[in-house]
Amino acid sequence: MTLLFTHNALWEHQAVANTAPGDPTAVTVPTTDWLGPDPAPFGTLGSYVTERPIETAWAVNTGLWLRRNVTVDGLRPLVLRGRIENAVLVYFNGDYIGAVNPTNASITSVRDFTLVIPRSVATAGTHEIALLCLDEAGGTTGDTTYIYLEADYLRGFFPYPPEKVRERLEWKTDVIEAEDSTEDRLALRERPRQSFNFDYPTSNTEYARAFNLVIGSMPEQWLIPVWTEAQRLGAVSAGAFSITAVTDRYDFRDESLVLLWETPRKWQILGTTAISSGSIGVTQPTEAFTNAWLLPIRKGYIVGNVNRQTNSHVAVWSIGFEVEDNVVLASDAPDQFLADDIYFLEGLLSGSSITDNVIQKVEVTDFDLGAVAYFSPWTNARVSRPYRVVLADAEEVWQYRLWLHRRAGRYRQFWSPSLDADLRLRSAGTITDSLIIDSDDYLGYASNRTHLAVQTKDGTWYARTITDATELDSERTQLNLDSAINVAASDVLRVSYLGLKRLETDKIDFNWLGGGACQIEVRLLEIAL
């Protein structure tokens, strides 16, 4: 249930000097000179367009106090959510509990924010919420001021580390295939769906609490700690508005939530204000921890049923969540070849070998009258190969995740060599803009393969286009290239066909192995030669 709505919530208000306090904890909430109450949101529109229209004016370059009461049952933590331009300091029963941009530095966007007030503070009864709202210094006509706040109880979350995790990213691509094996592809989702399946073990002392949490919160929105991205912080001091942490390989987000966790009974959920290299700004002071872990939090719903295995010592809860606030991760473009991404992907074997599928579409016309007609709508067969990786740490997982987001499931094509010795080199001396290979019926059957990649013994790859092929004799063929390679033939490790590929599926599964490591296997489909 929502305790305090954005619209139609009435607030008392008064204008004050537009000055950020030097010590927010020393500020006293006014007791007199209040106007109203009037409805939220408060503000001056300026160039800002909002889905929550302004109801009461708040003048530019003016400070604004707001206050009102909220009544809670004291059974769950209280959550305050709002949107501010430019700064807000929040007081609960007159005590300073958190802020967004408390120094009132000029920011260029209207920010969402969240504060979580624990049960020990949000006890049963009626409490006063007061907001000191500030515009950036020197605001002029045409600028924006804006504030709203709503209150609710904290959503349920499972505070138990899982013993097993399966994660899935799922895009949706409409693929239209032409007879010449070319494709048109349309991405039908702006962002991938993300889901998790967790197996949570709980001791017999935590069984009742876990059961009540599941039964009472199952149909509601949940907070989902991303346990696979947990990082150990150790000791955390009380009263900090910034957390020192690694941020460049975990999915921490501005204006979101994080979890500081020590035990199932000792944790704190914090709203974030800004993510920077090496630190996370939060909206309220941290509590003291001796051995804290830091995790991002997503929002979502339980999908399907919850399974529970129990004995006299432990219960294991199997819960599937679908995340509703996933985003697209942006990454830099890699090296390019003929206007598409190019990668030289070397995966792991499945056992002692690797299994390719050579795929051809054949349509059969058979009316059971004797004659049978066969027709293939594809000019070229397609080769599908598994690409299996074991990612050892958070950095490797993050880089692979960025790669998947750039691929967007089946949507974005890329060049990659077969990694096989498809062409047997016969050249000697220095290879410039041509090379000689064993004929191996290349001209007879594979002359439509006009792209190759040469790998040298030091691991360097050279991608080239074959411009012309000439049979020198029955055993040798010369391939002319679009540009010189300039490497010694004795330094060449292999020459592979270079194919235009994409992922064969829009669904990617992460099999988490523990310790931050995971195994992923996808299939790469060659769609053009």
Side-chain angles (χ1 to χ4, degrees):
M1 59 178 291
T2 301
L3 300 172
L4 175 62
F5 288 93
T6 301
H7 278 91
N8 302 321
L10 300 178
W11 294 76
E12 293 182 302
H13 55 94
Q14 59 178 281
V16 294
N18 190 42
T19 304
D23 181 4
T25 63
V27 172
T28 300
V29 178
T31 57
T32 60
D33 299 324
W34 291 96
L35 304 176
D38 289 305
F42 289 72
T44 298
L45 188 58
S47 60
Y48 177 57
V49 178
T50 176
E51 69 278 14
R52 297 176 174 90
I54 292 169
E55 299 288 345
T56 304
W58 165 22
V60 170
N61 201 22
T62 303
L64 178 72
W65 270 107
L66 301 176
R67 77 170 183 181
R68 63 156 293 136
N69 291 334
V70 62
T71 301
V72 299
D73 59 20
L75 301 178
R76 297 167 67 172
L78 181 66
V79 179
L80 305 181
R81 292 186 297 266
R83 183 170 291 182
I84 181 62
E85 209 294 331
N86 185 73
V88 62
L89 292 82
V90 183
Y91 295 83
F92 195 74
N93 295 329
D95 295 327
Y96 175 62
I97 62 166
V100 176
N101 190 25
T103 63
N104 199 29
S106 180
I107 56 179
T108 58
S109 62
V110 180
R111 301 188 65 91
D112 291 325
F113 65 92
T114 303
L115 295 92
V116 179
I117 304 175
R119 287 180 57 187
S120 59
V121 176
T123 55
T126 300
H127 304 269
E128 181 190 76
I129 300 173
L131 311 176
L132 176 56
C133 312
L134 301 171
D135 186 24
E136 62 265 29
T140 60
T141 301
D143 289 346
T144 295
T145 62
Y146 191 80
I147 179 67
Y148 78 75
L149 186 81
E150 59 187 16
D152 202 350
Y153 293 115
L154 183 70
R155 300 297 186 181
F157 86 99
F158 234 56
Y160 309 104
E163 64 178 0
K164 188 176 182 180
V165 182
R166 285 86 62 200
E167 179 186 355
R168 171 172 285 184
L169 291 177
E170 186 174 355
W171 286 264
K172 189 174 181 63
T173 309
D174 188 11
V175 179
I176 303 172
E177 300 170 349
E179 289 188 10
D180 63 356
S181 301
T182 59
E183 293 182 345
D184 282 336
R185 294 180 298 277
L186 177 65
L188 300 180
R189 288 181 184 154
E190 293 184 358
R191 57 190 179 182
R193 289 183 179 174
Q194 184 180 34
S195 59
F196 291 97
N197 283 277
F198 296 105
D199 288 353
Y200 300 99
T202 57
S203 65
N204 55 3
T205 60
E206 291 289 331
Y207 168 81
R209 183 186 184 204
F211 181 80
N212 292 336
L213 179 61
V214 170
I215 292 299
S217 300
M218 190 170 176
E220 298 178 354
Q221 184 190 66
W222 283 67
L223 302 180
I224 309 167
V226 185
W227 294 96
T228 55
E229 297 189 29
Q231 60 176 293
R232 185 178 180 274
L233 301 183
V236 174
S237 300
F241 278 84
S242 179
I243 301 172
T244 300
V246 177
T247 59
D248 59 357
R249 64 194 68 165
Y250 300 98
D251 192 9
F252 294 113
R253 304 175 190 169
D254 291 349
E255 305 169 16
S256 185
L257 296 171
V258 295
L259 171 67
L260 285 174
W261 184 93
E262 188 165 289
T263 72
R265 300 280 177 165
K266 173 64 175 174
W267 49 264
Q268 184 184 16
I269 292 176
L270 296 162
T272 62
T273 58
I275 310 298
S276 59
S277 178
S279 68
I280 299 174
V282 292
T283 57
Q284 58 199 105
T286 57
E287 298 174 5
F289 292 84
T290 57
N291 187 25
W293 292 77
L294 177 68
L295 300 77
I297 288 181
R298 303 279 83 85
K299 298 175 183 178
Y301 289 83
I302 291 178
V303 291
N305 299 323
V306 173
N307 296 322
R308 178 189 63 200
Q309 293 181 326
T310 59
N311 56 40
S312 59
H313 303 288
V314 67
V316 178
W317 304 79
S318 297
I319 305 178
F321 294 99
E322 189 165 291
V323 175
E324 64 173 342
D325 60 347
N326 197 27
V327 297
V328 175
L329 301 178
S331 61
D332 295 333
D335 292 338
Q336 301 290 294
F337 180 71
L338 300 181
D340 282 304
D341 297 353
I342 184 168
Y343 301 96
F344 303 97
L345 305 173
E346 298 190 40
L348 301 175
L349 299 179
S350 298
S352 60
S353 63
I354 193 167
T355 301
D356 290 344
N357 291 334
V358 181
I359 306 166
Q360 179 63 285
K361 181 180 288 188
V362 177
E363 297 178 357
V364 181
T365 303
D366 183 1
F367 297 105
D368 287 334
L369 300 177
V372 180
Y374 299 90
F375 171 72
S376 175
W378 287 0
T379 303
N380 303 306
R382 296 183 170 189
V383 178
S384 170
R385 168 172 287 189
Y387 174 49
R388 175 175 171 264
V389 294
V390 175
L391 308 171
D393 55 31
E395 176 62 24
E396 292 185 4
V397 172
W398 184 250
Q399 293 303 320
Y400 190 91
R401 195 180 293 274
L402 292 177
W403 180 78
L404 285 178
H405 276 256
R406 184 163 179 84
R407 304 274 59 77
R410 297 186 295 168
Y411 176 66
R412 183 171 284 114
Q413 63 193 24
F414 61 97
W415 292 96
S416 185
S418 69
L419 304 178
D420 297 323
D422 298 305
L423 302 170
R424 295 189 294 161
L425 189 65
R426 295 284 293 270
S427 295
T430 299
I431 300 174
T432 56
D433 59 357
S434 67
L435 51 83
I436 300 172
I437 61 169
D438 277 312
S439 292
D440 290 331
D441 289 330
Y442 170 81
L443 289 175
Y445 295 98
S447 60
N448 57 344
R449 301 208 66 118
T450 58
H451 303 100
L452 57 79
V454 177
Q455 185 185 26
T456 56
K457 293 175 182 178
D458 64 1
T460 304
W461 285 94
Y462 300 87
R464 295 293 186 269
T465 297
I466 301 170
T467 59
D468 184 50
T470 304
E471 186 176 65
L472 301 180
D473 53 46
S474 61
E475 295 182 354
R476 298 180 305 149
T477 297
Q478 178 173 305
L479 305 180
N480 296 323
L481 308 178
D482 61 335
S483 62
I485 297 178
N486 295 324
V487 299
S490 59
D491 289 336
V492 172
L493 179 64
R494 57 185 161 181
V495 182
S496 301
Y497 287 134
L498 186 63
L500 193 62
K501 303 176 181 180
R502 61 167 170 81
L503 300 187
E504 195 172 25
T505 180
D506 282 318
K507 298 178 181 179
I508 313 299
D509 291 321
F510 292 64
N511 179 23
W512 290 94
L513 306 174
C518 75
Q519 175 180 286
I520 306 171
E521 183 172 309
V522 297
R523 295 195 72 90
L524 307 182
L525 180 66
E526 186 179 69
I527 57 175
L529 309 179

